[in-house]
Amino acid sequence: MQHRNQPQESHLAKIARLLSMYHSLSFPQLQSLYPELPGARLLRLLGKLEKAGRLTFLPDRGLVLYTGDCAPDPSTIAAFWVLLDFREDVTYHTASDFPVALTFCTQSDAYDVIHIPEEKEMLMNHALSAYKEDSPRRIAIVDSAGQIPLLHIPGVAAFCTVSPEGKVQYYRKQGVET
């Protein structure tokens, strides 16, 4: 019996750890991260964690929160979709502090994922101007492709937009789709 429960316990621990790090994720993000868990099984695992007081699940909003008083961070949620795009190659990932939403490593590179809301281009240009080119490569999430010409941030490997459903669209620096 213990052997049969080991995968469940492993998933419970991983989900709890993930939420302790990122504070809020969407249910579809967890489904993408754990494709081996059918939706109903993932819902049961979230129910167990919620019953144990280890998370709060808001099914009407499609959100899973570390605690009931966590406010979902749109930058973190968007950055996590970018992380999921690289999931096959990711060796390490963690939440970061402003202006970086999250950092992840692959076998060959390290990336900082940054969200730049509309009307915050000048602020982010200034906040990120001191970064060195040899720092982790940057993936800059913009709310619209029209922001890209306004940004002058060193070390940007790619710009992208992220839809609410998690579709990531990448762009070259000139604002042309890649």
Side-chain angles (χ1 to χ4, degrees):
M1 188 77 152
Q2 181 182 3
H3 176 58
R4 196 172 80 172
N5 287 334
Q6 279 181 326
Q8 177 177 309
E9 293 302 318
S10 173
H11 281 109
L12 290 170
K14 286 178 184 176
I15 291 168
R17 182 185 162 284
L18 195 65
L19 287 165
S20 73
M21 196 174 1
Y22 293 106
H23 300 279
S24 65
L25 295 172
S26 72
F27 181 73
Q29 287 175 321
L30 291 174
Q31 287 179 303
S32 294
L33 190 61
Y34 300 108
E36 71 280 8
L37 292 175
R41 186 161 173 229
L42 180 57
L43 284 169
R44 281 194 304 276
L45 291 176
L46 294 177
K48 282 185 178 209
L49 287 167
E50 186 169 37
K51 189 174 181 180
R54 296 178 70 191
L55 63 78
T56 300
F57 180 41
L58 306 173
D60 55 320
R61 294 178 58 197
L63 291 172
V64 183
L65 309 175
Y66 183 54
T67 63
D69 59 351
C70 281
D73 179 12
S75 295
T76 300
I77 290 172
F80 201 83
W81 282 119
V82 172
L83 174 73
L84 287 170
D85 253 12
F86 289 82
R87 78 175 153 257
E88 298 300 320
D89 299 321
V90 172
T91 58
Y92 172 80
H93 62 92
T94 190
S96 297
D97 293 321
F98 178 84
V100 177
L102 68 82
T103 299
F104 70 91
C105 299
T106 64
Q107 291 289 347
S108 58
D109 281 308
Y111 295 91
D112 283 342
V113 183
I114 302 158
H115 176 233
I116 303 165
E118 281 191 281
E119 307 295 325
K120 300 293 182 188
E121 297 86 1
M122 280 186 22
L123 170 70
M124 296 302 272
N125 280 334
H126 180 71
L128 297 166
S129 65
Y131 276 35
K132 295 179 174 42
E133 288 287 337
D134 61 347
S135 295
R137 298 174 75 189
R138 286 161 202 82
I139 298 174
I141 302 168
V142 292
D143 291 339
S144 73
Q147 293 175 259
I148 297 170
L150 304 174
L151 297 168
H152 309 287
I153 301 167
V156 173
F159 291 94
C160 65
T161 56
V162 179
S163 75
E165 301 78 34
K167 182 178 180 341
V168 182
Q169 183 68 56
Y170 293 93
Y171 297 87
R172 292 188 192 119
K173 184 155 181 122
Q174 301 87 346
V176 179
E177 254 183 70
T178 58

